[in-house]
Amino acid sequence: MSEENRVGSKIHQLREAQDMTVEELAEASQSSVELIQQLENGALVPSLTPLLKIARALGVRLGTFLDDVPQSGPVVVRAGLSENVVRFSGKTERPKKSALEFYSLASDKADRHMEPFIIDIHPSPEESHKLSSHEGEEFIYVLAGEIEIFYGKDVHRLSVGDSIYYDSIVPHDVHAAGKEDARIMAVVYAPL
């Protein structure tokens, strides 16, 4: 399995293991057939919200797309040694490069209910930010740089040491504030 298409390969495996067609997965996840096909063949850098909906439609956690060999005991990730990096596009229509790099902090933990990540956020070339929503909750703590969060009609600008906890069902967007990279720790909870 290619490191570049780890997520797409896992979606394909899970879909086929459940004897589900691309069309059935698209309908169940409220996605387009084209999106599913592009994700599976690695032609598209995924964004987080559709992946959460696809995971839910497949009856798995978001982290399942990152898992290799699940462990039942504790999972320790040493500083700077997260082996599972997934790049997400943000919200652009035809993304060609990553705006978000997710470093999983629990990729091999079996039966987890939270998804903890360190996320590098690169500035977006676009001025407009498309809001998205999904079931669950998110906690974000800023480690470096500044981020801006559009949450419903509100805008929150956070700096190093600031945090926010919110319901993900409210339309939102997290992005770097300004032209500099930012780094956050995020914990995502998405019920099955």
Side-chain angles (χ1 to χ4, degrees):
M1 164 173 39
S2 158
E3 188 66 34
E4 289 298 310
N5 192 27
R6 170 184 289 210
V7 173
S9 296
K10 199 68 126 179
I11 291 170
H12 181 79
Q13 289 172 354
L14 291 165
R15 180 180 60 74
E16 288 202 335
Q18 295 183 28
D19 220 11
M20 186 181 270
T21 67
V22 170
E23 292 78 14
E24 290 168 336
L25 179 56
E27 183 178 335
S29 65
Q30 301 171 340
S31 304
S32 70
V33 169
E34 179 185 27
L35 174 72
I36 303 295
Q37 290 171 332
Q38 289 180 331
L39 287 173
E40 285 189 2
N41 69 26
L44 186 68
V45 178
S47 64
L48 187 58
T49 298
L51 283 183
L52 283 165
K53 290 178 179 179
I54 291 167
R56 187 173 178 92
L58 290 169
V60 298
R61 300 171 286 98
L62 173 65
T64 301
F65 298 143
L66 308 174
D67 294 347
D68 285 326
V69 181
Q71 301 175 29
S72 58
V75 172
V76 176
V77 177
R78 300 288 179 200
L81 297 179
S82 175
E83 297 176 9
N84 293 309
V85 180
V86 176
R87 290 169 176 81
F88 291 104
S89 65
K91 314 285 184 316
T92 58
E93 286 298 315
R94 296 280 177 225
K96 297 295 182 194
K97 67 180 223 174
S98 169
L100 305 168
E101 294 173 356
F102 280 59
Y103 298 84
S104 177
L105 298 177
S107 64
D108 293 334
K109 174 69 175 128
D111 301 322
R112 66 186 178 273
H113 301 284
M114 301 179 295
E115 299 294 341
F117 300 100
I118 296 295
I119 305 172
D120 289 333
I121 305 174
H122 307 296
S124 171
E126 295 185 12
E127 291 298 316
S128 65
H129 299 279
K130 184 178 175 187
L131 304 184
S132 61
S133 66
H134 53 86
E135 289 187 51
E137 301 172 347
E138 296 180 33
F139 171 79
I140 294 173
Y141 181 87
V142 181
L143 299 169
E146 290 185 322
I147 63 169
E148 198 170 56
I149 299 173
F150 294 173
Y151 184 75
K153 294 182 180 181
D154 298 327
V155 177
H156 302 277
R157 190 175 183 113
L158 303 177
S159 300
V160 174
D162 294 342
S163 66
I164 186 170
Y165 189 118
Y166 56 87
D167 293 316
S168 307
I169 197 70
V170 175
H172 61 281
D173 178 72
V174 178
H175 53 273
K179 306 281 186 217
E180 302 295 320
D181 286 351
R183 176 171 263 210
I184 63 174
M185 181 191 64
V187 180
V188 178
Y189 166 73
L192 283 179

